[in-house]
Amino acid sequence: MTKPLHPRTRMIHDGSDRRGFGEMSEALYLTQGFAYDSAETAEARFDGSDPGYVYARYGNPTVGMFEERLASLEGAEACFAMASGMAAVNAAMFSQLKAGDHVVAARALFGSCHYIVDSLLPRFGVQTTLVDGRDLDQWRAAMRGETKLCFLESPSNPTLEIIDIAAVAEIAHAGGAKLIVDNVFATPCFQHPLELGADLVMYSTTKHIDGQGRCLGGALLGDAETIRGPVMEYMKHTGAALSPFNAWVMLKGLETIHLRCDAQARNAEAIARHLSAHGAVKRALYPALPDHPQHDLAMRQMERGGTVVALELADKRAAFAFINALKIAKISNNLGDAKTIVTHPTTTTHQRMTEDDRLALGITPGLIRMSVGLEDTDDLLADIDRGLAAAG
Ligand SMILES: *Cc1c(COP(=O)(O)O)cnc(C)c1O
Protein backbone atom coordinates (compact mmCIF):
# COMPACT_ATOMS: atom_id res chain seq x y z
CA MET A 1 0.00 0.00 0.00
CA THR A 2 1.39 3.42 -0.87
CA LYS A 3 1.35 6.04 1.86
CA PRO A 4 -0.84 9.09 1.18
CA LEU A 5 1.20 12.13 0.15
CA HIS A 6 1.69 14.99 2.59
CA PRO A 7 0.08 18.39 1.92
CA ARG A 8 3.47 19.98 1.12
CA THR A 9 3.94 17.51 -1.72
CA ARG A 10 0.37 17.78 -2.93
CA MET A 11 0.62 21.59 -3.09
CA ILE A 12 3.46 21.28 -5.61
CA HIS A 13 1.76 18.74 -7.88
CA ASP A 14 -2.01 18.42 -7.37
CA GLY A 15 -4.29 19.98 -9.94
CA SER A 16 -1.63 20.10 -12.66
CA ASP A 17 -3.55 19.63 -15.88
CA ARG A 18 -0.86 19.49 -18.58
CA ARG A 19 -1.75 19.83 -22.25
CA GLY A 20 0.33 19.02 -25.28
CA PHE A 21 3.74 20.44 -24.58
CA GLY A 22 4.65 18.74 -21.30
CA GLU A 23 5.05 22.20 -19.83
CA MET A 24 6.53 22.15 -16.28
CA SER A 25 4.77 25.25 -15.00
CA GLU A 26 1.00 25.11 -15.26
CA ALA A 27 -0.36 26.95 -18.29
CA LEU A 28 -2.22 30.23 -18.11
CA TYR A 29 -5.31 29.93 -20.31
CA LEU A 30 -6.36 33.49 -21.04
CA THR A 31 -9.52 32.56 -22.88
CA GLN A 32 -13.13 33.47 -22.22
CA GLY A 33 -14.59 30.78 -24.47
CA PHE A 34 -14.03 27.30 -25.93
CA ALA A 35 -14.57 25.98 -29.46
CA TYR A 36 -16.57 22.75 -29.86
CA ASP A 37 -15.57 20.22 -32.54
CA SER A 38 -19.19 19.65 -33.61
CA ALA A 39 -22.71 20.89 -33.04
CA GLU A 40 -23.33 17.67 -31.11
CA THR A 41 -20.45 18.46 -28.72
CA ALA A 42 -21.81 21.96 -28.17
CA GLU A 43 -25.22 20.47 -27.36
CA ALA A 44 -23.67 17.99 -24.93
CA ARG A 45 -21.62 20.70 -23.19
CA PHE A 46 -24.73 22.80 -22.68
CA ASP A 47 -26.88 19.94 -21.37
CA GLY A 48 -24.05 18.90 -19.02
CA SER A 49 -23.57 15.38 -20.42
CA ASP A 50 -20.06 16.41 -21.61
CA PRO A 51 -18.18 17.92 -18.65
CA GLY A 52 -15.91 20.16 -20.78
CA TYR A 53 -15.64 23.92 -20.49
CA VAL A 54 -18.32 26.27 -21.84
CA TYR A 55 -17.62 29.84 -20.76
CA ALA A 56 -15.07 31.44 -18.44
CA ARG A 57 -17.74 32.87 -16.16
CA TYR A 58 -18.25 29.35 -14.85
CA GLY A 59 -15.08 27.50 -15.64
CA ASN A 60 -11.60 27.88 -17.11
CA PRO A 61 -8.74 25.33 -17.10
CA THR A 62 -6.35 27.53 -15.08
CA VAL A 63 -9.07 28.38 -12.57
CA GLY A 64 -9.94 24.67 -12.47
CA MET A 65 -6.34 23.73 -11.61
CA PHE A 66 -6.37 26.26 -8.77
CA GLU A 67 -9.69 24.93 -7.46
CA GLU A 68 -8.44 21.34 -7.51
CA ARG A 69 -5.20 22.20 -5.68
CA LEU A 70 -6.97 24.26 -3.00
CA ALA A 71 -9.60 21.52 -2.51
CA SER A 72 -6.73 19.07 -1.97
CA LEU A 73 -5.21 21.30 0.72
CA GLU A 74 -8.55 21.78 2.47
CA GLY A 75 -9.60 18.13 2.17
CA ALA A 76 -12.84 19.30 0.52
CA GLU A 77 -14.90 17.46 -2.08
CA ALA A 78 -15.26 20.60 -4.16
CA CYS A 79 -14.10 24.19 -4.52
CA PHE A 80 -15.44 27.16 -6.46
CA ALA A 81 -12.99 30.04 -6.92
CA MET A 82 -14.29 33.60 -7.22
CA ALA A 83 -13.19 37.16 -7.90
CA SER A 84 -12.61 38.06 -4.24
CA GLY A 85 -13.19 36.88 -0.71
CA MET A 86 -16.31 39.02 -0.52
CA ALA A 87 -17.68 37.42 -3.71
CA ALA A 88 -17.30 34.09 -1.90
CA VAL A 89 -19.15 35.30 1.22
CA ASN A 90 -21.87 36.80 -0.96
CA ALA A 91 -22.25 33.54 -2.91
CA ALA A 92 -22.28 31.43 0.27
CA MET A 93 -25.19 33.48 1.62
CA PHE A 94 -27.26 34.37 -1.42
CA SER A 95 -27.00 30.96 -3.09
CA GLN A 96 -28.46 29.22 -0.05
CA LEU A 97 -30.90 31.69 1.53
CA LYS A 98 -34.37 32.98 0.71
CA ALA A 99 -36.75 35.47 2.31
CA GLY A 100 -38.01 34.15 5.64
CA ASP A 101 -34.76 32.36 6.51
CA HIS A 102 -32.64 33.29 9.51
CA VAL A 103 -28.86 33.54 9.98
CA VAL A 104 -26.85 33.48 13.21
CA ALA A 105 -23.38 35.02 13.03
CA ALA A 106 -20.61 35.92 15.43
CA ARG A 107 -20.42 39.68 16.00
CA ALA A 108 -16.63 39.84 15.51
CA LEU A 109 -16.64 39.68 11.70
CA PHE A 110 -14.58 41.26 8.95
CA GLY A 111 -16.25 44.62 8.14
CA SER A 112 -17.73 43.70 4.75
CA CYS A 113 -18.99 40.35 6.07
CA HIS A 114 -20.72 42.29 8.85
CA TYR A 115 -22.34 44.51 6.19
CA ILE A 116 -23.69 41.53 4.22
CA VAL A 117 -25.07 39.78 7.31
CA ASP A 118 -26.32 42.82 9.21
CA SER A 119 -27.40 45.29 6.49
CA LEU A 120 -27.85 43.49 3.17
CA LEU A 121 -29.60 40.22 4.10
CA PRO A 122 -32.37 41.95 6.13
CA ARG A 123 -33.24 44.04 3.02
CA PHE A 124 -34.16 40.77 1.30
CA GLY A 125 -36.24 39.40 4.16
CA VAL A 126 -33.53 37.31 5.81
CA GLN A 127 -33.40 37.99 9.56
CA THR A 128 -30.03 37.82 11.29
CA THR A 129 -28.92 37.55 14.90
CA LEU A 130 -25.41 38.56 15.96
CA VAL A 131 -23.93 36.82 18.99
CA ASP A 132 -20.73 36.90 21.02
CA GLY A 133 -19.19 33.95 19.20
CA ARG A 134 -17.22 32.84 22.27
CA ASP A 135 -20.41 32.27 24.28
CA LEU A 136 -22.00 28.96 23.19
CA ASP A 137 -25.19 29.72 25.14
CA GLN A 138 -25.75 32.77 22.92
CA TRP A 139 -25.48 30.55 19.81
CA ARG A 140 -27.96 28.07 21.32
CA ALA A 141 -30.40 30.82 22.31
CA ALA A 142 -30.26 32.46 18.87
CA MET A 143 -31.24 29.34 16.92
CA ARG A 144 -34.78 29.33 15.48
CA GLY A 145 -36.82 26.98 13.33
CA GLU A 146 -35.96 29.13 10.28
CA THR A 147 -32.19 29.25 10.96
CA LYS A 148 -30.45 28.04 7.80
CA LEU A 149 -26.87 29.25 8.23
CA CYS A 150 -24.42 29.99 11.03
CA PHE A 151 -21.36 32.06 10.16
CA LEU A 152 -18.15 32.77 12.04
CA GLU A 153 -14.54 33.82 11.71
CA SER A 154 -11.81 32.40 13.99
CA PRO A 155 -9.40 33.88 14.90
CA SER A 156 -11.38 37.08 14.38
CA ASN A 157 -10.24 40.35 12.89
CA PRO A 158 -8.62 42.29 14.53
CA THR A 159 -8.72 41.12 18.16
CA LEU A 160 -7.97 37.43 17.49
CA GLU A 161 -10.92 36.03 19.42
CA ILE A 162 -11.25 32.25 19.11
CA ILE A 163 -14.57 30.49 18.54
CA ASP A 164 -15.05 26.77 19.27
CA ILE A 165 -15.77 25.58 15.71
CA ALA A 166 -16.67 21.99 16.65
CA ALA A 167 -19.12 23.16 19.33
CA VAL A 168 -20.83 25.71 17.05
CA ALA A 169 -21.05 23.09 14.26
CA GLU A 170 -22.88 20.79 16.68
CA ILE A 171 -25.32 23.54 17.68
CA ALA A 172 -25.93 24.45 14.03
CA HIS A 173 -26.51 20.84 12.99
CA ALA A 174 -28.83 20.16 15.95
CA GLY A 175 -30.95 23.05 14.64
CA GLY A 176 -30.84 21.84 11.03
CA ALA A 177 -28.50 24.66 9.92
CA LYS A 178 -25.13 24.68 8.17
CA LEU A 179 -21.95 26.27 9.51
CA ILE A 180 -19.78 28.45 7.25
CA VAL A 181 -16.31 29.37 8.54
CA ASP A 182 -14.27 32.32 7.27
CA ASN A 183 -10.84 30.70 7.72
CA VAL A 184 -8.71 33.57 6.40
CA PHE A 185 -6.90 34.46 9.62
CA ALA A 186 -6.15 30.83 10.50
CA THR A 187 -4.91 30.01 6.95
CA PRO A 188 -5.53 26.64 5.26
CA CYS A 189 -2.22 25.45 6.74
CA PHE A 190 -3.10 25.82 10.41
CA GLN A 191 -6.83 25.13 10.81
CA HIS A 192 -9.15 22.65 9.08
CA PRO A 193 -12.77 23.65 9.75
CA LEU A 194 -14.28 20.80 7.69
CA GLU A 195 -12.54 18.27 9.98
CA LEU A 196 -13.98 20.16 12.96
CA GLY A 197 -17.51 19.77 11.59
CA ALA A 198 -18.05 22.94 9.51
CA ASP A 199 -19.99 22.52 6.25
CA LEU A 200 -18.36 25.23 4.14
CA VAL A 201 -15.06 27.09 4.34
CA MET A 202 -14.45 30.48 2.80
CA TYR A 203 -11.15 32.15 1.85
CA SER A 204 -10.07 35.52 0.68
CA THR A 205 -7.25 34.08 -1.45
CA THR A 206 -6.06 37.69 -1.68
CA LYS A 207 -4.31 37.02 1.64
CA HIS A 208 -1.95 34.09 2.37
CA ILE A 209 -2.79 32.09 -0.76
CA ASP A 210 -1.49 34.82 -3.04
CA GLY A 211 0.85 35.75 -0.20
CA GLN A 212 2.60 38.58 -1.98
CA GLY A 213 -0.13 41.19 -2.19
CA ARG A 214 -0.74 41.01 -5.95
CA CYS A 215 -4.23 39.75 -6.78
CA LEU A 216 -7.77 39.66 -5.43
CA GLY A 217 -9.42 36.26 -5.23
CA GLY A 218 -11.76 34.14 -3.14
CA ALA A 219 -12.94 30.58 -2.77
CA LEU A 220 -15.72 28.54 -1.21
CA LEU A 221 -15.07 24.89 -0.35
CA GLY A 222 -17.27 22.07 0.91
CA ASP A 223 -19.39 19.14 -0.22
CA ALA A 224 -19.87 18.63 -3.96
CA GLU A 225 -23.65 18.77 -3.72
CA THR A 226 -23.62 22.35 -2.38
CA ILE A 227 -20.64 23.67 -4.36
CA ARG A 228 -21.59 22.18 -7.72
CA GLY A 229 -25.30 22.76 -7.00
CA PRO A 230 -26.57 26.08 -5.61
CA VAL A 231 -23.14 27.79 -5.39
CA MET A 232 -22.18 26.94 -9.00
CA GLU A 233 -25.67 27.92 -10.23
CA TYR A 234 -25.46 31.28 -8.43
CA MET A 235 -21.94 31.98 -9.72
CA LYS A 236 -22.81 31.01 -13.29
CA HIS A 237 -25.44 33.72 -13.46
CA THR A 238 -24.14 36.50 -11.21
CA GLY A 239 -20.70 36.98 -12.66
CA ALA A 240 -18.00 37.33 -9.96
CA ALA A 241 -15.66 34.94 -11.80
CA LEU A 242 -11.97 34.68 -10.87
CA SER A 243 -9.68 35.87 -13.64
CA PRO A 244 -7.48 33.08 -15.05
CA PHE A 245 -4.44 35.30 -14.51
CA ASN A 246 -5.21 35.71 -10.80
CA ALA A 247 -5.94 31.96 -10.55
CA TRP A 248 -2.52 31.22 -12.06
CA VAL A 249 -0.75 33.53 -9.57
CA MET A 250 -2.58 31.82 -6.70
CA LEU A 251 -1.96 28.32 -8.06
CA LYS A 252 1.76 29.10 -7.87
CA GLY A 253 1.18 30.67 -4.42
CA LEU A 254 -0.06 27.32 -3.12
CA GLU A 255 3.32 25.75 -3.99
CA THR A 256 5.00 27.86 -1.30
CA ILE A 257 2.16 28.42 1.17
CA HIS A 258 3.46 26.03 3.84
CA LEU A 259 6.95 27.53 3.75
CA ARG A 260 5.60 31.05 3.93
CA CYS A 261 2.97 30.47 6.62
CA ASP A 262 5.45 28.52 8.79
CA ALA A 263 8.06 31.28 8.54
CA GLN A 264 5.47 34.03 9.11
CA ALA A 265 4.03 32.21 12.14
CA ARG A 266 7.58 31.79 13.54
CA ASN A 267 8.13 35.55 13.18
CA ALA A 268 4.69 36.29 14.67
CA GLU A 269 5.44 34.11 17.70
CA ALA A 270 8.77 35.86 18.30
CA ILE A 271 7.13 39.28 17.99
CA ALA A 272 4.23 38.35 20.27
CA ARG A 273 6.62 37.07 22.94
CA HIS A 274 8.73 40.23 22.64
CA LEU A 275 5.68 42.49 22.90
CA SER A 276 4.12 40.71 25.86
CA ALA A 277 7.36 41.13 27.84
CA HIS A 278 7.52 44.88 27.11
CA GLY A 279 6.31 47.37 29.75
CA ALA A 280 4.84 49.87 27.26
CA VAL A 281 2.49 47.26 25.78
CA LYS A 282 -0.85 46.96 27.61
CA ARG A 283 -1.83 43.73 25.85
CA ALA A 284 -0.20 41.53 23.24
CA LEU A 285 -2.68 39.15 21.62
CA TYR A 286 -1.56 36.02 19.79
CA PRO A 287 -3.42 32.68 20.00
CA ALA A 288 -0.25 30.62 20.57
CA LEU A 289 0.84 32.74 23.56
CA PRO A 290 -0.11 31.06 26.87
CA ASP A 291 -1.61 34.36 28.13
CA HIS A 292 -4.13 34.58 25.26
CA PRO A 293 -7.54 34.32 27.03
CA GLN A 294 -8.50 31.33 24.86
CA HIS A 295 -5.10 29.76 24.40
CA ASP A 296 -6.22 26.18 25.19
CA LEU A 297 -9.11 26.28 22.73
CA ALA A 298 -6.88 27.91 20.10
CA MET A 299 -4.29 25.15 20.39
CA ARG A 300 -6.99 22.48 20.30
CA GLN A 301 -8.28 23.59 16.92
CA MET A 302 -5.23 25.29 15.35
CA GLU A 303 -1.82 23.84 14.60
CA ARG A 304 -0.10 27.20 15.09
CA GLY A 305 -1.13 30.69 16.17
CA GLY A 306 -1.30 32.17 12.67
CA THR A 307 0.50 35.14 11.17
CA VAL A 308 -1.29 38.08 12.81
CA VAL A 309 -0.47 39.69 16.16
CA ALA A 310 -2.48 42.42 17.89
CA LEU A 311 -1.04 44.81 20.44
CA GLU A 312 -2.58 47.50 22.58
CA LEU A 313 -0.75 50.66 23.55
CA ALA A 314 -1.94 53.37 25.96
CA ASP A 315 -4.00 55.44 23.51
CA LYS A 316 -4.33 56.67 19.92
CA ARG A 317 -1.36 59.03 20.25
CA ALA A 318 0.92 56.16 21.32
CA ALA A 319 -0.45 53.92 18.56
CA PHE A 320 0.18 56.57 15.86
CA ALA A 321 3.68 57.31 17.22
CA PHE A 322 4.48 53.57 17.13
CA ILE A 323 3.17 53.12 13.59
CA ASN A 324 4.85 56.26 12.23
CA ALA A 325 8.26 55.28 13.66
CA LEU A 326 8.37 51.89 11.90
CA LYS A 327 10.80 51.68 8.98
CA ILE A 328 10.27 48.08 7.79
CA ALA A 329 6.59 47.42 8.48
CA LYS A 330 4.30 49.22 6.05
CA ILE A 331 1.09 51.04 6.99
CA SER A 332 -1.60 49.29 4.98
CA ASN A 333 -4.67 47.09 5.40
CA ASN A 334 -3.91 43.83 3.61
CA LEU A 335 -2.71 40.80 5.54
CA GLY A 336 -0.92 37.54 4.83
CA ASP A 337 1.60 39.40 2.65
CA ALA A 338 5.36 38.65 2.62
CA LYS A 339 5.71 42.27 3.78
CA THR A 340 4.90 43.08 7.40
CA ILE A 341 1.88 45.40 7.59
CA VAL A 342 0.48 47.46 10.47
CA THR A 343 -3.12 48.67 10.66
CA HIS A 344 -4.85 50.96 13.16
CA PRO A 345 -8.39 49.49 13.08
CA THR A 346 -10.14 52.34 14.96
CA THR A 347 -9.25 54.93 12.30
CA THR A 348 -9.22 52.69 9.18
CA THR A 349 -10.90 49.28 8.78
CA HIS A 350 -13.35 49.83 11.64
CA GLN A 351 -13.72 53.63 11.31
CA ARG A 352 -17.40 53.44 10.29
CA MET A 353 -18.49 51.50 13.38
CA THR A 354 -19.78 53.39 16.41
CA GLU A 355 -17.34 53.74 19.28
CA ASP A 356 -19.56 51.60 21.51
CA ASP A 357 -19.62 48.79 18.94
CA ARG A 358 -15.84 49.00 18.55
CA LEU A 359 -15.23 48.91 22.30
CA ALA A 360 -17.60 45.94 22.64
CA LEU A 361 -15.26 44.09 20.27
CA GLY A 362 -12.15 45.19 22.17
CA ILE A 363 -11.11 47.62 19.41
CA THR A 364 -9.65 50.41 21.54
CA PRO A 365 -7.88 53.53 20.17
CA GLY A 366 -4.54 52.01 21.27
CA LEU A 367 -5.06 48.75 19.34
CA ILE A 368 -2.75 47.90 16.43
CA ARG A 369 -3.02 44.87 14.14
CA MET A 370 0.23 43.55 12.76
CA SER A 371 0.27 41.10 9.84
CA VAL A 372 3.70 39.56 10.16
CA GLY A 373 5.72 38.98 6.99
CA LEU A 374 8.78 37.09 5.89
CA GLU A 375 11.49 39.60 6.83
CA ASP A 376 14.39 38.63 9.11
CA THR A 377 13.14 38.22 12.70
CA ASP A 378 15.86 40.39 14.26
CA ASP A 379 15.17 43.23 11.83
CA LEU A 380 11.45 43.12 12.68
CA LEU A 381 12.14 43.09 16.43
CA ALA A 382 14.47 46.09 16.03
CA ASP A 383 11.74 47.87 14.03
CA ILE A 384 9.23 47.18 16.81
CA ASP A 385 11.63 48.50 19.45
CA ARG A 386 11.99 51.67 17.37
CA GLY A 387 8.18 51.98 17.37
CA LEU A 388 7.83 51.32 21.10
CA ALA A 389 10.55 53.87 21.90
CA ALA A 390 8.65 56.49 19.88
CA ALA A 391 5.37 55.55 21.58
CA GLY A 392 7.05 56.39 24.90
C1 LIG B 1 -9.85 40.19 3.41
C2 LIG B 1 -10.88 39.44 4.13
C3 LIG B 1 -12.13 39.20 3.55
C4 LIG B 1 -12.52 39.77 2.19
O1 LIG B 1 -11.72 39.32 1.16
P1 LIG B 1 -11.45 40.18 -0.19
O2 LIG B 1 -10.59 39.26 -0.99
O3 LIG B 1 -10.77 41.45 0.23
O4 LIG B 1 -12.77 40.42 -0.81
C5 LIG B 1 -13.05 38.47 4.29
N1 LIG B 1 -12.75 37.99 5.52
C6 LIG B 1 -11.55 38.20 6.11
C7 LIG B 1 -11.30 37.65 7.45
C8 LIG B 1 -10.57 38.92 5.42
O5 LIG B 1 -9.39 39.14 6.02
Side-chain angles (χ1 to χ4, degrees):
M1 222 168 62
T2 50
K3 276 202 328 203
L5 296 173
H6 293 89
R8 283 166 197 270
T9 307
R10 289 191 270 114
M11 286 310 94
I12 310 291
H13 296 288
D14 275 13
S16 293
D17 187 5
R18 297 200 167 82
R19 304 285 164 110
F21 299 102
E23 67 277 8
M24 275 298 290
S25 177
E26 295 75 7
L28 168 51
Y29 292 95
L30 278 180
T31 178
Q32 60 54 230
F34 305 87
Y36 315 109
D37 50 19
S38 67
E40 287 77 9
T41 305
E43 183 183 26
R45 291 278 172 92
F46 273 78
D47 71 20
S49 57
D50 176 334
Y53 293 100
V54 174
Y55 192 61
R57 191 174 342 107
Y58 23 113
N60 166 286
T62 308
V63 177
M65 287 189 258
F66 172 59
E67 289 169 338
E68 195 178 326
R69 194 170 285 177
L70 186 56
S72 168
L73 179 55
E74 198 62 39
E77 275 176 24
C79 170
F80 202 101
M82 325 204 181
S84 71
M86 287 323 302
V89 177
N90 181 303
M93 299 284 167
F94 281 82
S95 70
Q96 300 189 84
L97 294 168
K98 60 177 187 331
D101 290 344
H102 175 244
V103 173
V104 184
R107 192 171 291 116
L109 286 181
F110 184 77
S112 300
C113 297
H114 191 275
Y115 168 78
I116 289 187
V117 169
D118 201 46
S119 300
L120 204 51
L121 290 178
R123 278 173 33 198
F124 295 87
V126 175
Q127 299 308 310
T128 64
T129 306
L130 295 177
V131 298
D132 179 335
R134 295 166 298 183
D135 182 349
L136 296 175
D137 286 335
Q138 289 194 25
W139 287 99
R140 280 187 204 101
M143 296 296 293
R144 300 183 198 161
E146 313 80 62
T147 309
K148 288 282 154 48
L149 297 177
C150 294
F151 182 50
L152 65 85
E153 177 185 321
S154 181
S156 69
N157 174 43
T159 49
L160 308 177
E161 287 177 3
I162 308 294
I163 298 177
D164 188 334
I165 295 173
V168 176
E170 232 179 274
I171 295 168
H173 295 160
K178 285 185 188 172
L179 174 63
I180 306 173
V181 174
D182 177 339
N183 206 39
V184 171
F185 270 58
T187 83
C189 298
F190 300 145
Q191 179 170 277
H192 311 288
L194 298 177
E195 286 173 16
L196 295 166
D199 301 280
L200 293 170
V201 178
M202 167 277 188
Y203 288 104
S204 162
T205 62
T206 314
K207 312 292 165 56
H208 305 81
I209 293 173
D210 175 311
Q212 296 180 56
R214 297 161 294 196
C215 299
L216 281 177
L220 202 58
L221 299 107
D223 63 286
E225 197 183 328
T226 307
I227 300 293
R228 306 237 164 80
V231 171
M232 166 104 172
E233 188 69 9
Y234 182 81
M235 291 307 298
K236 242 172 139 165
H237 300 298
T238 54
L242 179 63
S243 117
F245 179 82
N246 290 7
W248 182 82
V249 170
M250 289 162 180
L251 180 68
K252 304 311 280 181
L254 285 175
E255 293 182 1
T256 56
I257 191 168
H258 289 93
L259 286 175
R260 288 184 286 102
C261 286
D262 276 345
Q264 286 171 251
R266 213 177 312 119
N267 272 346
E269 267 167 48
I271 287 172
R273 243 180 274 115
H274 187 73
L275 288 169
S276 75
H278 199 286
V281 178
K282 276 170 73 179
R283 279 198 301 169
L285 286 168
Y286 184 65
L289 276 195
D291 62 3
H292 185 287
Q294 296 160 290
H295 173 70
D296 291 345
L297 170 61
M299 293 298 94
R300 234 182 10 251
Q301 65 184 22
M302 296 173 75
E303 279 158 38
R304 299 189 73 156
T307 69
V308 178
V309 177
L311 65 142
E312 190 177 352
L313 300 177
D315 49 23
K316 178 180 166 188
R317 187 210 59 78
F320 273 30
F322 173 86
I323 288 171
N324 287 332
L326 300 174
K327 292 208 163 80
I328 295 172
K330 300 291 173 244
I331 307 167
S332 187
N333 40 268
N334 189 22
L335 62 102
D337 196 313
K339 296 181 172 70
T340 295
I341 290 170
V342 285
T343 311
H344 185 248
T346 298
T347 52
T348 60
T349 52
H350 292 68
Q351 191 192 97
R352 288 180 50 222
M353 268 188 171
T354 66
E355 194 181 349
D356 283 350
D357 284 351
R358 273 198 301 268
L359 293 179
L361 291 175
I363 305 172
T364 59
L367 187 82
I368 295 161
R369 181 187 87 186
M370 182 174 269
S371 166
V372 180
L374 284 171
E375 298 93 338
D376 182 271
T377 315
D378 289 339
D379 292 341
L380 288 177
L381 292 177
D383 205 33
I384 283 165
D385 282 342
R386 192 156 37 232
L388 290 174

